[in-house]
Structure formats: structure tokens, C-alpha cells
Amino acid sequence: MGIWVCGIATATLPIPFGGTQLSLVVSAVFWLIMIGATWLFGCLLGRPSRLLSTTITLALCVVLLNWCAAAPRAWFEVHRKAFEAGVHAMPPSGADRSRLPIALMWLTVDGDTEGEEAGSHIAWFFPQWEGMPDDAGGYFYSPDRSPDGLDMRGMICRAPIDLGSGWWMCGM
């Protein structure tokens, strides 16, 4: 039960910070505390328990660390199919802001995407982090052209990185 609580906490604690470096630090500090606490608790139970519990915690850390901030391109590639499903779930006409289906809300920092006219298609923006008062960074689906110059919640996309098949990364 405790491991599940920790897994949920590590997945939700960095959400307000999205895919930023701060969220990576929050996630890493949390995991270092959990690894240390697991090792100390294991000391009370004996060497085999300490080894097993610390190994399990390390494995969870590897799986649940905020990889979007640590390796945004790799994180996107791992979840490319989910992002493609997110694009197909969007309305055909570009709404300023559209809510993702519940099962795909984790693809963005707030569960919303934004559509903007880009050529003959809509460019869909999947924000991975938001700043205050108004800027963001994330992934674009823009099959017709580069999203260079498009709005990212107040910040303009400059020098986007092509991820292939119409996908771009900007502000990450």
C-alpha cells in the first residue's frame, strides 16, 4: 500500500510544474527521500528486507521519475501513440482550447490542448509545462508546416525541433 501511495505522489507532485527542470528536481528529491526512508526502514527489518525494499524503490524511481523534463524527446517517442490518439480525439475545426478525453488528459499539464490554424490543417499544441504569468512549452502536431511563430499560451514557438510525422517539440 505504501509503495502505491508513493507512486501516486511521485506522479502528482510535479504536475503543477509540468515538464520543467523544477519538476524534475521535485521528482528527484522526492525519490531520494523515499529511497533513504526505505533503506532506513529496511535496517529495522534486517539485511534481506533492506536490500529487497531498496531495490524495489529504485526500480519504481526509474519507471516513475519525471522523464518529460529529463529527456523530453525520448518521453515523447515512448508515448507517441498516445499523442496521436489525442490528435484524433480533437474536433476537426480548431477550437482555441479543447479538453482531452479523460484517458488522455495526462498528455498535457492541464488536460487541455490548443488548436491554431496552420496551413490547411489545425496545429495542435500539447503543453508540457506552464509558466507564470503566461508561457508554455510542449509538443505540436502540425503536419503542413513548422509551428515556428505559433502561440504557446503567451510564448511564441521559436526554432522547433522536428520529431517526424508532423510532430514538433518547442520550448522544452
Side-chain angles (χ1 to χ4, degrees):
M1 174 72 169
I3 291 174
W4 285 110
V5 169
C6 293
I8 290 169
T10 190
T12 57
L13 281 175
I15 284 176
F17 310 107
T20 64
Q21 296 302 317
L22 180 57
S23 69
L24 178 61
V25 170
V26 168
S27 185
V29 166
F30 176 81
W31 277 109
L32 288 173
I33 291 168
M34 289 309 305
I35 291 166
T38 303
W39 185 82
L40 287 173
F41 183 71
C43 286
L44 298 173
L45 299 175
R47 187 166 191 253
S49 296
R50 180 177 60 223
L51 225 79
L52 180 63
S53 61
T54 304
T55 302
I56 290 170
T57 305
L58 280 168
L60 284 172
C61 173
V62 167
V63 172
L64 298 173
L65 186 73
N66 186 359
W67 290 112
C68 181
R73 185 177 197 133
W75 193 86
F76 174 81
E77 291 302 332
V78 167
H79 299 96
R80 182 183 282 265
K81 294 278 187 207
F83 280 101
E84 289 171 359
V87 167
H88 293 300
M90 294 297 92
S93 63
D96 184 35
R97 200 175 257 209
S98 294
R99 196 78 162 150
L100 284 162
I102 291 173
L104 298 173
M105 289 175 127
W106 59 273
L107 292 173
T108 68
V109 72
D110 62 358
D112 291 345
T113 62
E114 293 184 24
E116 190 173 337
E117 295 289 332
S120 64
H121 287 87
I122 304 298
W124 289 103
F125 177 56
F126 291 76
Q128 301 301 298
W129 64 269
E130 285 186 324
M132 297 296 173
D134 60 350
D135 56 354
Y139 305 109
F140 272 99
Y141 178 70
S142 181
D144 287 350
R145 67 174 187 88
S146 164
D148 191 52
L150 295 182
D151 181 56
M152 298 187 302
R153 297 188 176 176
M155 187 167 88
I156 300 301
C157 177
R158 296 286 177 230
I161 297 168
D162 187 357
L163 301 173
S165 301
W167 286 97
W168 302 83
M169 179 171 68
C170 196
M172 298 287 286

